[in-house]
PDB file of all heavy atoms in Angstrom:
ATOM      1  N   LEU A  18     116.568  90.997 104.572  1.00  0.00           N
ATOM      2  CA  LEU A  18     115.395  91.142 105.424  1.00  0.00           C
ATOM      3  C   LEU A  18     115.838  91.523 106.822  1.00  0.00           C
ATOM      4  O   LEU A  18     115.109  92.299 107.514  1.00  0.00           O
ATOM      5  CB  LEU A  18     114.505  89.874 105.413  1.00  0.00           C
ATOM      6  CG  LEU A  18     113.868  89.539 104.102  1.00  0.00           C
ATOM      7  CD1 LEU A  18     113.015  88.316 104.119  1.00  0.00           C
ATOM      8  CD2 LEU A  18     113.139  90.682 103.590  1.00  0.00           C
ATOM      9  N   GLU A  19     116.946  90.933 107.338  1.00  0.00           N
ATOM     10  CA  GLU A  19     117.422  91.327 108.661  1.00  0.00           C
ATOM     11  C   GLU A  19     117.835  92.806 108.619  1.00  0.00           C
ATOM     12  O   GLU A  19     117.597  93.562 109.641  1.00  0.00           O
ATOM     13  CB  GLU A  19     118.589  90.441 108.999  1.00  0.00           C
ATOM     14  CG  GLU A  19     119.146  90.671 110.344  1.00  0.00           C
ATOM     15  CD  GLU A  19     120.257  89.698 110.732  1.00  0.00           C
ATOM     16  OE1 GLU A  19     120.178  88.497 110.472  1.00  0.00           O
ATOM     17  OE2 GLU A  19     121.378  90.259 111.264  1.00  0.00           O
ATOM     18  N   GLN A  20     118.495  93.219 107.631  1.00  0.00           N
ATOM     19  CA  GLN A  20     118.909  94.604 107.498  1.00  0.00           C
ATOM     20  C   GLN A  20     117.786  95.569 107.380  1.00  0.00           C
ATOM     21  O   GLN A  20     117.780  96.604 107.974  1.00  0.00           O
ATOM     22  CB  GLN A  20     119.873  94.785 106.323  1.00  0.00           C
ATOM     23  CG  GLN A  20     121.118  93.812 106.331  1.00  0.00           C
ATOM     24  CD  GLN A  20     121.859  93.857 107.632  1.00  0.00           C
ATOM     25  OE1 GLN A  20     122.060  94.953 108.252  1.00  0.00           O
ATOM     26  NE2 GLN A  20     122.305  92.690 108.035  1.00  0.00           N
ATOM     27  N   MET A  21     116.735  95.149 106.658  1.00  0.00           N
ATOM     28  CA  MET A  21     115.534  96.054 106.596  1.00  0.00           C
ATOM     29  C   MET A  21     114.823  96.173 107.983  1.00  0.00           C
ATOM     30  O   MET A  21     114.407  97.165 108.356  1.00  0.00           O
ATOM     31  CB  MET A  21     114.490  95.449 105.592  1.00  0.00           C
ATOM     32  CG  MET A  21     114.959  95.728 104.151  1.00  0.00           C
ATOM     33  SD  MET A  21     113.745  94.998 102.987  1.00  0.00           S
ATOM     34  CE  MET A  21     114.307  95.684 101.438  1.00  0.00           C
ATOM     35  N   GLY A  22     114.910  95.024 108.768  1.00  0.00           N
ATOM     36  CA  GLY A  22     114.389  95.099 110.072  1.00  0.00           C
ATOM     37  C   GLY A  22     115.132  96.079 110.974  1.00  0.00           C
ATOM     38  O   GLY A  22     114.596  96.793 111.784  1.00  0.00           O
ATOM     39  N   LYS A  23     116.440  96.161 110.734  1.00  0.00           N
ATOM     40  CA  LYS A  23     117.321  97.114 111.502  1.00  0.00           C
ATOM     41  C   LYS A  23     116.936  98.510 111.078  1.00  0.00           C
ATOM     42  O   LYS A  23     116.910  99.381 111.903  1.00  0.00           O
ATOM     43  CB  LYS A  23     118.764  96.780 111.325  1.00  0.00           C
ATOM     44  CG  LYS A  23     119.279  95.520 111.961  1.00  0.00           C
ATOM     45  CD  LYS A  23     120.763  95.233 111.668  1.00  0.00           C
ATOM     46  CE  LYS A  23     121.174  93.986 112.195  1.00  0.00           C
ATOM     47  NZ  LYS A  23     122.621  93.753 111.866  1.00  0.00           N
ATOM     48  N   ILE A  24     116.766  98.704 109.825  1.00  0.00           N
ATOM     49  CA  ILE A  24     116.478  99.993 109.302  1.00  0.00           C
ATOM     50  C   ILE A  24     115.166 100.605 109.823  1.00  0.00           C
ATOM     51  O   ILE A  24     115.103 101.716 110.260  1.00  0.00           O
ATOM     52  CB  ILE A  24     116.469 100.026 107.737  1.00  0.00           C
ATOM     53  CG1 ILE A  24     117.775  99.820 107.157  1.00  0.00           C
ATOM     54  CG2 ILE A  24     115.860 101.359 107.187  1.00  0.00           C
ATOM     55  CD1 ILE A  24     117.879  99.472 105.660  1.00  0.00           C
ATOM     56  N   ILE A  25     114.096  99.748 109.891  1.00  0.00           N
ATOM     57  CA  ILE A  25     112.800 100.260 110.398  1.00  0.00           C
ATOM     58  C   ILE A  25     112.865 100.436 111.906  1.00  0.00           C
ATOM     59  O   ILE A  25     111.949 101.116 112.450  1.00  0.00           O
ATOM     60  CB  ILE A  25     111.633  99.317 110.006  1.00  0.00           C
ATOM     61  CG1 ILE A  25     111.768  97.978 110.484  1.00  0.00           C
ATOM     62  CG2 ILE A  25     111.408  99.428 108.469  1.00  0.00           C
ATOM     63  CD1 ILE A  25     110.537  97.061 110.246  1.00  0.00           C
ATOM     64  N   ASN A  26     113.869  99.970 112.597  1.00  0.00           N
ATOM     65  CA  ASN A  26     113.992 100.119 114.019  1.00  0.00           C
ATOM     66  C   ASN A  26     115.065 101.229 114.339  1.00  0.00           C
ATOM     67  O   ASN A  26     115.344 101.403 115.557  1.00  0.00           O
ATOM     68  CB  ASN A  26     114.311  98.806 114.707  1.00  0.00           C
ATOM     69  CG  ASN A  26     113.169  97.915 114.759  1.00  0.00           C
ATOM     70  OD1 ASN A  26     112.060  98.296 115.216  1.00  0.00           O
ATOM     71  ND2 ASN A  26     113.371  96.668 114.296  1.00  0.00           N
ATOM     72  N   LEU A  27     115.536 101.978 113.455  1.00  0.00           N
ATOM     73  CA  LEU A  27     116.335 103.102 113.640  1.00  0.00           C
ATOM     74  C   LEU A  27     115.492 104.186 114.416  1.00  0.00           C
ATOM     75  O   LEU A  27     114.252 104.209 114.255  1.00  0.00           O
ATOM     76  CB  LEU A  27     116.972 103.645 112.380  1.00  0.00           C
ATOM     77  CG  LEU A  27     118.005 102.751 111.717  1.00  0.00           C
ATOM     78  CD1 LEU A  27     118.381 103.272 110.326  1.00  0.00           C
ATOM     79  CD2 LEU A  27     119.217 102.613 112.617  1.00  0.00           C
ATOM     80  N   PRO A  28     116.229 105.112 115.028  1.00  0.00           N
ATOM     81  CA  PRO A  28     115.455 106.167 115.722  1.00  0.00           C
ATOM     82  C   PRO A  28     114.725 107.135 114.728  1.00  0.00           C
ATOM     83  O   PRO A  28     115.062 107.186 113.570  1.00  0.00           O
ATOM     84  CB  PRO A  28     116.491 106.958 116.503  1.00  0.00           C
ATOM     85  CG  PRO A  28     117.753 106.552 116.001  1.00  0.00           C
ATOM     86  CD  PRO A  28     117.574 105.159 115.262  1.00  0.00           C
ATOM     87  N   PRO A  29     113.630 107.867 115.206  1.00  0.00           N
ATOM     88  CA  PRO A  29     112.881 108.595 114.374  1.00  0.00           C
ATOM     89  C   PRO A  29     113.651 109.663 113.572  1.00  0.00           C
ATOM     90  O   PRO A  29     113.291 110.044 112.411  1.00  0.00           O
ATOM     91  CB  PRO A  29     111.887 109.449 115.405  1.00  0.00           C
ATOM     92  CG  PRO A  29     111.723 108.443 116.516  1.00  0.00           C
ATOM     93  CD  PRO A  29     113.099 107.796 116.572  1.00  0.00           C
ATOM     94  N   GLY A  30     114.761 110.083 114.065  1.00  0.00           N
ATOM     95  CA  GLY A  30     115.625 111.068 113.302  1.00  0.00           C
ATOM     96  C   GLY A  30     116.204 110.512 111.983  1.00  0.00           C
ATOM     97  O   GLY A  30     116.682 111.170 111.170  1.00  0.00           O
ATOM     98  N   GLU A  31     116.115 109.169 111.830  1.00  0.00           N
ATOM     99  CA  GLU A  31     116.569 108.497 110.684  1.00  0.00           C
ATOM    100  C   GLU A  31     115.415 108.027 109.719  1.00  0.00           C
ATOM    101  O   GLU A  31     115.690 107.498 108.683  1.00  0.00           O
ATOM    102  CB  GLU A  31     117.340 107.204 111.087  1.00  0.00           C
ATOM    103  CG  GLU A  31     118.596 107.443 111.918  1.00  0.00           C
ATOM    104  CD  GLU A  31     119.735 108.035 111.099  1.00  0.00           C
ATOM    105  OE1 GLU A  31     119.941 107.587 109.989  1.00  0.00           O
ATOM    106  OE2 GLU A  31     120.358 108.995 111.571  1.00  0.00           O
ATOM    107  N   TYR A  32     114.147 108.397 110.038  1.00  0.00           N
ATOM    108  CA  TYR A  32     113.021 107.878 109.275  1.00  0.00           C
ATOM    109  C   TYR A  32     113.045 108.376 107.883  1.00  0.00           C
ATOM    110  O   TYR A  32     112.778 107.578 106.996  1.00  0.00           O
ATOM    111  CB  TYR A  32     111.751 108.310 109.963  1.00  0.00           C
ATOM    112  CG  TYR A  32     111.343 107.405 111.214  1.00  0.00           C
ATOM    113  CD1 TYR A  32     112.045 106.432 111.626  1.00  0.00           C
ATOM    114  CD2 TYR A  32     110.120 107.705 111.863  1.00  0.00           C
ATOM    115  CE1 TYR A  32     111.717 105.683 112.782  1.00  0.00           C
ATOM    116  CE2 TYR A  32     109.724 106.960 113.008  1.00  0.00           C
ATOM    117  CZ  TYR A  32     110.515 105.932 113.429  1.00  0.00           C
ATOM    118  OH  TYR A  32     110.200 105.195 114.505  1.00  0.00           O
ATOM    119  N   VAL A  33     113.336 109.642 107.632  1.00  0.00           N
ATOM    120  CA  VAL A  33     113.275 110.116 106.234  1.00  0.00           C
ATOM    121  C   VAL A  33     114.381 109.508 105.394  1.00  0.00           C
ATOM    122  O   VAL A  33     114.058 109.000 104.202  1.00  0.00           O
ATOM    123  CB  VAL A  33     113.419 111.705 106.161  1.00  0.00           C
ATOM    124  CG1 VAL A  33     113.606 112.162 104.768  1.00  0.00           C
ATOM    125  CG2 VAL A  33     112.184 112.333 106.842  1.00  0.00           C
ATOM    126  N   LYS A  34     115.553 109.311 105.941  1.00  0.00           N
ATOM    127  CA  LYS A  34     116.698 108.727 105.215  1.00  0.00           C
ATOM    128  C   LYS A  34     116.263 107.214 104.946  1.00  0.00           C
ATOM    129  O   LYS A  34     116.503 106.678 103.859  1.00  0.00           O
ATOM    130  CB  LYS A  34     117.979 108.730 105.910  1.00  0.00           C
ATOM    131  CG  LYS A  34     118.600 110.173 105.871  1.00  0.00           C
ATOM    132  CD  LYS A  34     119.919 110.189 106.535  1.00  0.00           C
ATOM    133  CE  LYS A  34     119.636 110.454 108.040  1.00  0.00           C
ATOM    134  NZ  LYS A  34     120.726 110.805 108.864  1.00  0.00           N
ATOM    135  N   SER A  35     115.675 106.543 105.977  1.00  0.00           N
ATOM    136  CA  SER A  35     115.282 105.131 105.883  1.00  0.00           C
ATOM    137  C   SER A  35     114.153 105.081 104.757  1.00  0.00           C
ATOM    138  O   SER A  35     114.216 104.088 103.964  1.00  0.00           O
ATOM    139  CB  SER A  35     114.721 104.650 107.198  1.00  0.00           C
ATOM    140  OG  SER A  35     115.781 104.698 108.201  1.00  0.00           O
ATOM    141  N   PHE A  36     113.247 105.924 104.780  1.00  0.00           N
ATOM    142  CA  PHE A  36     112.188 105.906 103.791  1.00  0.00           C
ATOM    143  C   PHE A  36     112.787 106.008 102.380  1.00  0.00           C
ATOM    144  O   PHE A  36     112.439 105.247 101.469  1.00  0.00           O
ATOM    145  CB  PHE A  36     111.146 107.029 104.033  1.00  0.00           C
ATOM    146  CG  PHE A  36     110.046 107.124 103.033  1.00  0.00           C
ATOM    147  CD1 PHE A  36     109.054 106.157 102.962  1.00  0.00           C
ATOM    148  CD2 PHE A  36     109.942 108.204 102.145  1.00  0.00           C
ATOM    149  CE1 PHE A  36     108.032 106.210 102.110  1.00  0.00           C
ATOM    150  CE2 PHE A  36     108.919 108.256 101.254  1.00  0.00           C
ATOM    151  CZ  PHE A  36     107.942 107.281 101.176  1.00  0.00           C
ATOM    152  N   ARG A  37     113.704 106.960 102.245  1.00  0.00           N
ATOM    153  CA  ARG A  37     114.310 107.112 100.854  1.00  0.00           C
ATOM    154  C   ARG A  37     115.021 105.807 100.365  1.00  0.00           C
ATOM    155  O   ARG A  37     114.877 105.373  99.251  1.00  0.00           O
ATOM    156  CB  ARG A  37     115.378 108.226 100.908  1.00  0.00           C
ATOM    157  CG  ARG A  37     114.812 109.623 100.977  1.00  0.00           C
ATOM    158  CD  ARG A  37     115.914 110.663 101.214  1.00  0.00           C
ATOM    159  NE  ARG A  37     115.487 112.009 100.834  1.00  0.00           N
ATOM    160  CZ  ARG A  37     115.269 112.494  99.610  1.00  0.00           C
ATOM    161  NH1 ARG A  37     115.704 111.776  98.578  1.00  0.00           N
ATOM    162  NH2 ARG A  37     114.867 113.742  99.467  1.00  0.00           N
ATOM    163  N   VAL A  38     115.751 105.231 101.275  1.00  0.00           N
ATOM    164  CA  VAL A  38     116.553 104.002 101.019  1.00  0.00           C
ATOM    165  C   VAL A  38     115.618 102.871 100.738  1.00  0.00           C
ATOM    166  O   VAL A  38     115.746 102.127  99.759  1.00  0.00           O
ATOM    167  CB  VAL A  38     117.562 103.672 102.091  1.00  0.00           C
ATOM    168  CG1 VAL A  38     118.142 102.328 101.988  1.00  0.00           C
ATOM    169  CG2 VAL A  38     118.719 104.760 102.190  1.00  0.00           C
ATOM    170  N   LEU A  39     114.662 102.604 101.619  1.00  0.00           N
ATOM    171  CA  LEU A  39     113.752 101.532 101.499  1.00  0.00           C
ATOM    172  C   LEU A  39     112.846 101.607 100.221  1.00  0.00           C
ATOM    173  O   LEU A  39     112.686 100.720  99.543  1.00  0.00           O
ATOM    174  CB  LEU A  39     112.824 101.357 102.689  1.00  0.00           C
ATOM    175  CG  LEU A  39     113.571 100.847 103.941  1.00  0.00           C
ATOM    176  CD1 LEU A  39     112.675 100.963 105.160  1.00  0.00           C
ATOM    177  CD2 LEU A  39     114.169  99.443 103.761  1.00  0.00           C
ATOM    178  N   LEU A  40     112.377 102.770  99.951  1.00  0.00           N
ATOM    179  CA  LEU A  40     111.530 103.041  98.812  1.00  0.00           C
ATOM    180  C   LEU A  40     112.368 102.917  97.479  1.00  0.00           C
ATOM    181  O   LEU A  40     111.807 102.302  96.497  1.00  0.00           O
ATOM    182  CB  LEU A  40     110.829 104.364  98.885  1.00  0.00           C
ATOM    183  CG  LEU A  40     109.888 104.694  97.729  1.00  0.00           C
ATOM    184  CD1 LEU A  40     108.773 103.615  97.604  1.00  0.00           C
ATOM    185  CD2 LEU A  40     109.148 106.074  98.018  1.00  0.00           C
ATOM    186  N   SER A  41     113.473 103.392  97.473  1.00  0.00           N
ATOM    187  CA  SER A  41     114.383 103.226  96.268  1.00  0.00           C
ATOM    188  C   SER A  41     114.698 101.789  96.018  1.00  0.00           C
ATOM    189  O   SER A  41     114.697 101.333  94.854  1.00  0.00           O
ATOM    190  CB  SER A  41     115.604 104.080  96.450  1.00  0.00           C
ATOM    191  OG  SER A  41     115.336 105.439  96.512  1.00  0.00           O
ATOM    192  N   THR A  42     114.957 100.946  97.067  1.00  0.00           N
ATOM    193  CA  THR A  42     115.204  99.564  96.935  1.00  0.00           C
ATOM    194  C   THR A  42     113.941  98.904  96.454  1.00  0.00           C
ATOM    195  O   THR A  42     114.006  98.046  95.523  1.00  0.00           O
ATOM    196  CB  THR A  42     115.653  99.017  98.279  1.00  0.00           C
ATOM    197  OG1 THR A  42     116.854  99.662  98.598  1.00  0.00           O
ATOM    198  CG2 THR A  42     115.865  97.475  98.219  1.00  0.00           C
ATOM    199  N   PHE A  43     112.804  99.213  97.010  1.00  0.00           N
ATOM    200  CA  PHE A  43     111.547  98.591  96.543  1.00  0.00           C
ATOM    201  C   PHE A  43     111.307  98.878  95.111  1.00  0.00           C
ATOM    202  O   PHE A  43     110.876  98.050  94.261  1.00  0.00           O
ATOM    203  CB  PHE A  43     110.345  99.097  97.389  1.00  0.00           C
ATOM    204  CG  PHE A  43     109.020  98.723  96.762  1.00  0.00           C
ATOM    205  CD1 PHE A  43     108.601  97.428  96.711  1.00  0.00           C
ATOM    206  CD2 PHE A  43     108.200  99.715  96.314  1.00  0.00           C
ATOM    207  CE1 PHE A  43     107.462  97.039  96.111  1.00  0.00           C
ATOM    208  CE2 PHE A  43     107.017  99.391  95.712  1.00  0.00           C
ATOM    209  CZ  PHE A  43     106.654  98.054  95.671  1.00  0.00           C
ATOM    210  N   ALA A  44     111.562 100.173  94.694  1.00  0.00           N
ATOM    211  CA  ALA A  44     111.325 100.529  93.275  1.00  0.00           C
ATOM    212  C   ALA A  44     112.131  99.679  92.329  1.00  0.00           C
ATOM    213  O   ALA A  44     111.558  99.179  91.307  1.00  0.00           O
ATOM    214  CB  ALA A  44     111.657 102.024  93.081  1.00  0.00           C
ATOM    215  N   VAL A  45     113.372  99.337  92.663  1.00  0.00           N
ATOM    216  CA  VAL A  45     114.155  98.494  91.827  1.00  0.00           C
ATOM    217  C   VAL A  45     113.549  97.101  91.746  1.00  0.00           C
ATOM    218  O   VAL A  45     113.453  96.470  90.721  1.00  0.00           O
ATOM    219  CB  VAL A  45     115.681  98.422  92.288  1.00  0.00           C
ATOM    220  CG1 VAL A  45     116.447  97.442  91.504  1.00  0.00           C
ATOM    221  CG2 VAL A  45     116.281  99.885  92.141  1.00  0.00           C
ATOM    222  N   ALA A  46     113.220  96.519  92.947  1.00  0.00           N
ATOM    223  CA  ALA A  46     112.765  95.192  93.032  1.00  0.00           C
ATOM    224  C   ALA A  46     111.403  95.039  92.385  1.00  0.00           C
ATOM    225  O   ALA A  46     111.149  94.085  91.641  1.00  0.00           O
ATOM    226  CB  ALA A  46     112.615  94.760  94.509  1.00  0.00           C
ATOM    227  N   ASP A  47     110.510  96.009  92.598  1.00  0.00           N
ATOM    228  CA  ASP A  47     109.220  95.947  91.948  1.00  0.00           C
ATOM    229  C   ASP A  47     109.259  96.184  90.364  1.00  0.00           C
ATOM    230  O   ASP A  47     108.474  95.501  89.740  1.00  0.00           O
ATOM    231  CB  ASP A  47     108.278  97.116  92.536  1.00  0.00           C
ATOM    232  CG  ASP A  47     106.812  96.922  92.203  1.00  0.00           C
ATOM    233  OD1 ASP A  47     106.290  95.847  92.499  1.00  0.00           O
ATOM    234  OD2 ASP A  47     106.267  97.795  91.539  1.00  0.00           O
ATOM    235  N   THR A  48     110.176  96.934  89.947  1.00  0.00           N
ATOM    236  CA  THR A  48     110.371  97.051  88.504  1.00  0.00           C
ATOM    237  C   THR A  48     110.725  95.794  87.895  1.00  0.00           C
ATOM    238  O   THR A  48     110.183  95.319  86.887  1.00  0.00           O
ATOM    239  CB  THR A  48     111.371  98.163  88.178  1.00  0.00           C
ATOM    240  OG1 THR A  48     110.907  99.354  88.648  1.00  0.00           O
ATOM    241  CG2 THR A  48     111.651  98.264  86.685  1.00  0.00           C
ATOM    242  N   ARG A  49     111.651  95.021  88.573  1.00  0.00           N
ATOM    243  CA  ARG A  49     112.058  93.731  88.049  1.00  0.00           C
ATOM    244  C   ARG A  49     110.857  92.806  88.065  1.00  0.00           C
ATOM    245  O   ARG A  49     110.592  92.078  87.095  1.00  0.00           O
ATOM    246  CB  ARG A  49     113.182  93.156  88.991  1.00  0.00           C
ATOM    247  CG  ARG A  49     113.659  91.754  88.466  1.00  0.00           C
ATOM    248  CD  ARG A  49     114.734  91.156  89.286  1.00  0.00           C
ATOM    249  NE  ARG A  49     114.150  90.815  90.660  1.00  0.00           N
ATOM    250  CZ  ARG A  49     114.430  91.507  91.768  1.00  0.00           C
ATOM    251  NH1 ARG A  49     115.245  92.459  91.743  1.00  0.00           N
ATOM    252  NH2 ARG A  49     113.847  91.125  92.974  1.00  0.00           N
TER     253      ARG A  49
END
């Protein structure tokens, strides 16, 4: 959760990569 907080606070140039990483992580967790 602390790391996700850091990810969402990255600069806008990182938003697309952050979205990819966060959504892929959520997909695994939600499937479980």
Side-chain angles (χ1 to χ4, degrees):
L18 295 181
E19 182 179 316
Q20 303 310 319
M21 286 182 171
K23 291 177 183 178
I24 292 169
I25 61 176
N26 286 308
L27 291 172
E31 298 287 316
Y32 283 1
V33 171
K34 288 182 274 194
S35 297
F36 179 69
R37 288 174 164 279
V38 167
L39 291 170
L40 184 51
S41 296
T42 299
F43 167 67
V45 172
D47 190 61
T48 297
R49 184 186 64 252

